[in-house]
Amino acid sequence: MSTFNIPTRAEVNATNQAIFDSLEKQVGFVPNLFATYAYSENALKNYIDFAGAPSSLKAKEKEVINLAVSQVNQCEYCLAAHTAIGKMSGFNDAQIIELRQGKASFDTRLDALAALAKNITENRGNTDTSILKNYFNAGWTKENLIDTISLVGDKTISNYINNTVKTTVDFPAAPTL
């Protein structure tokens, strides 16, 4: 159960109200995580801008990172949301479970990405050199590395918000591992 009430459109500032309206049009509702960000006058816009910024990583690759990081951080909300988004991105249930565990036996390149995202998160950036070497050997670049680390940070912030305020999950629950 959430320790914070989810703010309604009427309870947030004009900038966040406009973002709520846009989310309603795009996805049909305002996900509770986004509404929780709206407690801050600036955090929701900052989050959306950062999450939507250009990246060397494709959407499907971002989901690999989101799933691995959210599992390490044990964020029920993000695991539920990114399980749904992962399915929309083309991953099946078994692949999503693997990605949450920091591996992808079905794709060597994604396997290296998932392992790196998991390792960075577990070790707070003190990345294991063999995992990093495997990442580069799988064809990832230094640009991809910086974008991966940025996404790990972005997802960790959301995980920490959800875990701290106990954001009510408004997606189908992810299976437990």
Side-chain angles (χ1 to χ4, degrees):
M1 181 167 157
S2 180
T3 57
F4 282 55
N5 292 328
I6 304 301
T8 65
R9 184 183 185 283
E11 296 172 318
V12 301
N13 69 12
T15 299
N16 287 335
Q17 287 177 352
I19 294 170
F20 278 26
D21 294 345
S22 178
L23 288 166
E24 284 278 351
K25 288 177 188 169
Q26 291 174 12
V27 293
F29 73 109
V30 177
N32 287 341
L33 169 63
F34 288 22
T36 301
Y37 266 102
Y39 271 109
S40 165
E41 291 189 18
N42 301 298
L44 178 57
K45 182 179 181 320
N46 293 343
Y47 172 71
I48 289 173
D49 288 348
F50 189 66
S55 174
S56 64
L57 301 170
K58 296 178 176 106
K60 194 169 187 175
E61 295 163 347
K62 289 180 179 182
E63 286 313 306
V64 169
I65 297 164
N66 291 333
L67 287 161
V69 171
S70 296
Q71 183 63 50
V72 171
N73 289 328
Q74 300 177 353
C75 180
E76 287 182 36
Y77 188 95
C78 288
L79 286 170
H82 291 290
T83 293
I85 296 167
K87 288 178 184 179
M88 291 187 290
S89 297
F91 293 119
N92 65 37
D93 291 334
Q95 291 170 331
I96 289 170
I97 294 295
E98 272 195 61
L99 294 170
R100 288 173 54 190
Q101 296 170 338
K103 55 188 177 180
S105 65
F106 54 92
D107 184 299
T108 305
R109 198 160 185 264
L110 295 181
D111 187 59
L113 178 62
L116 179 71
K118 178 182 179 189
N119 187 263
I120 288 170
T121 308
E122 288 176 334
N123 296 301
R124 294 184 170 99
N126 294 303
T127 309
D128 183 289
T129 56
S130 64
I131 294 205
L132 189 58
K133 182 178 178 183
N134 185 54
Y135 175 83
F136 288 127
N137 286 341
W140 296 101
T141 66
K142 291 176 182 174
E143 178 185 19
N144 298 143
L145 174 65
I146 299 305
D147 287 343
T148 296
I149 295 167
S150 293
L151 188 55
V152 167
D154 173 47
K155 188 48 45 196
T156 298
I157 292 168
S158 294
N159 294 163
Y160 285 9
I161 288 172
N162 290 320
N163 288 346
T164 298
V165 306
K166 310 290 186 227
T167 306
T168 302
V169 178
D170 51 357
F171 290 89
T176 55
L177 294 187

